[in-house]
Amino acid sequence: MVKIAPSILSADFSKLGEDIRSIDKYGADMVHIDVMDGKFVPNISFGFPIIKSIRNLTDLEFDVHLMIEEPTRFVDEFIDAGADIITIHYESEVHIDRAINYIKSKGVKVGLSLNPGTPVSLIENLIPALDLVLIMSVNPGFGGQKFIPYSLDKIKEVKALAEKYNKDEMMIQVDGGVGTQNIKEINEAGANVVVAGSAVFRNGEIEKNIEALRKAVI
Ligand code: DX5
Ligand code: ZN
């Protein structure tokens, strides 16, 4: 079983509320919210007002992916805005252990994300504290990019660490370039949550696209 987390970065922002209701109606498992600051990644997306404005439209978990420098500065505000899961990048905090434990102390789920070039071995000591590991399968900043093939090896490494530390319930999430063409091998490699932006929102055919992803992983 693999959970599908549509990334709203690829939604139609002229009708964002409608798109949120659609992904909920057509079976998404959580809402992936890509926050970008133009510094950690070469793009700027959106912040607290957008998250607040869609919070009451769905009961789905808000899976907030912070692609920003020193994200600990804003954890409280993202929680106030409605985040259920806060994922930060290993590369974005000098004191990553402190940052992870700060988020945990706030009572929300905590995720740790790795850029493609960052080895899985660097996060082994943090696995016991994590609710989620996010393996970036594209260089972060944009939707619609191509899946980086060596990500499959990293998924297997994270899966092995989850087993080593008895973290069966830990979410192993893959983000970037996921579609019907690769969702099955991504799941078989060990991912139990996939983020999909363009594959879900393409041509505005949300119901059809989510159904196609579900069929492709059977
Ligand atoms: C990229 C974001 C991804 C992206 C996924 O920095 O973290 O969530 O929006 O978009 P697709 O599925 O189109 O690659
Ligand atoms: Zn993301």
Side-chain angles (χ1 to χ4, degrees), residues 104-211:
K104 274 182 89 65
S105 74
K106 293 291 174 181
V108 293
K109 291 179 188 167
V110 63
L112 183 56
S113 182
L114 295 172
N115 283 334
T118 305
V120 170
S121 55
L122 288 176
I123 66 165
E124 172 157 3
N125 298 318
L126 292 166
I127 294 287
L130 297 175
D131 299 296
L132 181 149
V133 172
L134 168 48
I135 296 139
M136 289 308 298
S137 37
V138 294
N139 289 293
F142 303 92
Q145 299 181 85
K146 268 187 80 45
F147 182 84
I148 295 172
Y150 66 68
S151 310
L152 289 171
D153 299 330
K154 294 180 72 175
I155 298 165
K156 289 172 190 159
E157 285 179 71
V158 172
K159 176 84 179 148
L161 287 178
E163 284 160 0
K164 178 176 175 183
Y165 291 93
N166 300 314
K167 294 281 289 186
D168 308 347
E169 77 297 339
M170 187 174 80
M171 287 177 273
I172 302 176
Q173 187 180 56
V174 177
D175 185 7
V178 176
T180 51
Q181 75 287 359
N182 58 16
I183 187 170
K184 189 169 172 63
E185 67 179 325
I186 289 168
N187 180 227
E188 285 168 351
N192 49 32
V193 185
V194 297
V195 175
S198 44
V200 166
F201 291 102
R202 183 171 295 121
N203 310 322
E205 296 173 318
I206 295 171
E207 180 177 16
K208 179 172 151 265
N209 292 336
I210 291 182
E211 215 166 285

Side-chain angles (χ1 to χ4, degrees), residues 7 32 34 65 67 134 136 175 195:
S7 160
H32 187 78
D34 285 314
H65 177 193
M67 288 163 276
L134 168 48
M136 289 308 298
D175 185 7
V195 175

Side-chain angles (χ1 to χ4, degrees), residues 54-130:
I54 59 175
R55 178 61 277 183
N56 297 328
L57 300 180
T58 175
D59 292 334
L60 289 178
E61 273 189 311
F62 275 15
D63 166 36
V64 176
H65 177 193
L66 296 181
M67 288 163 276
I68 67 175
E69 289 290 343
E70 296 164 35
T72 310
R73 294 172 296 151
F74 299 112
V75 165
D76 296 11
E77 287 89 339
F78 280 110
I79 293 171
D80 290 346
D84 298 293
I85 304 170
I86 291 184
T87 296
I88 62 175
H89 269 260
Y90 174 84
E91 307 86 355
S92 67
E93 285 279 358
V94 173
H95 303 292
I96 189 68
D97 178 279
R98 181 189 293 153
I100 293 290
N101 285 297
Y102 178 73
I103 296 168
K104 274 182 89 65
S105 74
K106 293 291 174 181
V108 293
K109 291 179 188 167
V110 63
L112 183 56
S113 182
L114 295 172
N115 283 334
T118 305
V120 170
S121 55
L122 288 176
I123 66 165
E124 172 157 3
N125 298 318
L126 292 166
I127 294 287
L130 297 175

